[in-house]
């Protein structure tokens, strides 16, 4: 029963995120919901993922993001063996910024 409730809560959270219309709304939403440390951790992992998809080496990623090697390795495992959505989103954002 607890697992069903948790799944419903997380699904509702994802639905709420999909209701956000602008980067500013998104920023405000996450600032209301997360601590500065949590937001920083998410931002750092996203920055690591972007650099990994650009085939940057670990030393450059360490220097630019200040992420631990454990974080870089974890993100790399997701990029190389995950479901592909992180890379897909990064590419969509990259293309949007190039336009």
């Amino acid at each position: 029963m607890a697992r069903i409730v948790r799944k419903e809560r997380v699904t509702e959270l994802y639905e709420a995120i999909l209701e956000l219309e602008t980067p500013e709304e998104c920023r405000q939403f996450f600032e209301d919901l997360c601590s500065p440390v949590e937001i920083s951790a998410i931002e750092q992992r996203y920055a690591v993922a972007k650099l990994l998809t650009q085939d940057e080496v670990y030393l450059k990623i360490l220097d630019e993001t200040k992420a631990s090697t454990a974080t870089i390795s974890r993100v790399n495992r997701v990029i190389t063996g995950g479901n592909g959505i992180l890379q897909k989103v990064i590419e969509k954002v990259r293309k949007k910024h190039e336009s």
Side-chain angles (χ1 to χ4, degrees):
M1 180 72 146
R3 190 175 257 164
I4 293 170
V5 170
R6 184 177 178 278
K7 184 175 179 168
E8 289 172 0
R9 283 194 324 227
V10 77
T11 298
E12 189 172 323
L13 170 63
Y14 299 149
E15 289 171 347
I17 292 168
L18 289 171
E19 291 300 315
L20 302 170
E21 296 179 6
T22 66
E24 181 60 20
E25 273 189 3
C26 193
R27 183 190 61 76
Q28 291 173 351
F29 178 84
F30 280 97
E31 283 181 355
D32 284 352
L33 194 61
C34 302
S35 72
V37 171
E38 291 166 330
I39 293 170
S40 179
I42 293 168
E43 178 276 326
Q44 183 184 62
R45 288 179 182 176
Y46 185 78
V48 167
K50 278 179 52 179
L51 291 167
L52 286 167
T53 61
Q54 295 167 359
D55 296 324
E56 294 295 345
V57 296
Y58 272 42
L59 288 177
K60 182 174 181 180
I61 297 169
L62 279 166
D63 186 51
E64 285 193 25
T65 66
K66 307 301 185 229
S68 68
T69 55
T71 296
I72 296 169
S73 293
R74 185 202 179 282
V75 174
N76 191 48
R77 279 193 306 276
V78 169
I79 294 220
T80 58
N83 60 25
I85 194 67
L86 182 55
Q87 270 185 289
K88 189 176 186 178
V89 169
I90 289 169
E91 186 58 32
K92 285 171 79 172
V93 171
R94 187 177 293 139
K95 285 181 181 176
K96 188 176 185 179
H97 284 245
E98 289 173 356
S99 302

